[in-house]
Amino acid sequence: ENGNAVEVTQPKVVRQVISAETSRTMCNILEGVVSEGGGKNAYVKGYRIAGKTGTSEKVAKYWEDPSVGMRYIASYCGFAPADDPQYALLVMFDEPLGNSYYGGAVAGPVFAKIMEEVLPYLGVEKQYSADELDYISGIAPDVTGLSVDEAKEAAGVEFKFEASVG
């Protein structure tokens, strides 16, 4: 009330619903959704993120009036850090507008942006993977004065040049 806590409660363990081993397995699977699956848009550099995308059809609404087309709910539910879950977040869009209605495409990026802002605020330290460290510590070669072909070869990456007149 008026910005002050009215009641503070502590969690109370009622029962253990899954074993510690099953919990670790599920965390690894859900982390894989972000690192290798449809939840890639929920990735946040430096954090082990786990979660699941969701795309629900609003079938009852469609049956009421099929002429309006199918409507959807796009969601992403996840947690961090994946190896020691402390914070969970659910992002849902009821009838998203735009080119996509899939949870990974619509809610995943919003989840990532919120976690990117919230986790440092909550004091969660970044822990970069070896691949992330290689990427962020890479030094681009100096290609000044080289031709396009020479610059491509020196950089060791593929890129495309576009010229615009404006």
Side-chain angles (χ1 to χ4, degrees):
E1 185 174 300
N2 297 325
N4 299 311
V6 175
E7 181 179 349
V8 177
T9 59
Q10 295 299 320
K12 180 176 136 186
V13 177
V14 177
R15 66 187 172 282
Q16 185 168 340
V17 294
I18 62 172
S19 69
E21 181 183 349
T22 300
S23 177
R24 279 190 299 276
T25 299
M26 290 305 302
C27 287
N28 289 335
I29 290 169
L30 293 172
E31 186 175 13
V33 171
V34 177
S35 63
E36 303 163 21
K40 289 182 181 187
N41 288 331
Y43 167 76
V44 180
K45 277 186 253 179
Y47 292 105
R48 292 183 61 187
I49 303 291
K52 183 66 184 96
T53 64
T55 306
S56 305
E57 295 178 337
K58 297 176 84 172
V59 177
K61 220 174 191 185
Y62 177 75
W63 286 343
E64 287 174 18
D65 184 5
S67 68
V68 299
M70 185 62 74
R71 303 286 188 214
Y72 301 89
I73 297 173
S75 62
Y76 189 89
C77 185
F79 56 89
D83 57 338
D84 182 25
Q86 299 294 315
Y87 304 101
L89 173 64
L90 169 64
V91 175
M92 292 178 63
F93 287 89
D94 188 8
E95 300 185 11
L97 303 174
N99 295 333
S100 183
Y101 53 82
Y102 295 108
V106 176
V110 176
F111 173 93
K113 187 63 179 162
I114 292 170
M115 285 301 226
E116 183 178 44
E117 298 289 327
V118 169
L119 291 173
Y121 176 79
L122 295 171
V124 180
E125 296 287 327
K126 288 188 175 192
Q127 297 178 331
Y128 292 102
S129 69
D131 288 342
E132 288 172 325
L133 285 174
D134 285 345
Y135 179 77
I136 61 176
S137 64
I139 297 173
D142 182 2
V143 295
T144 307
L146 300 179
S147 71
V148 171
D149 289 334
E150 292 169 331
K152 283 181 181 181
E153 187 174 330
V157 295
E158 282 295 315
F159 52 90
K160 180 171 116 179
F161 288 96
E162 290 186 19
S164 63
V165 178

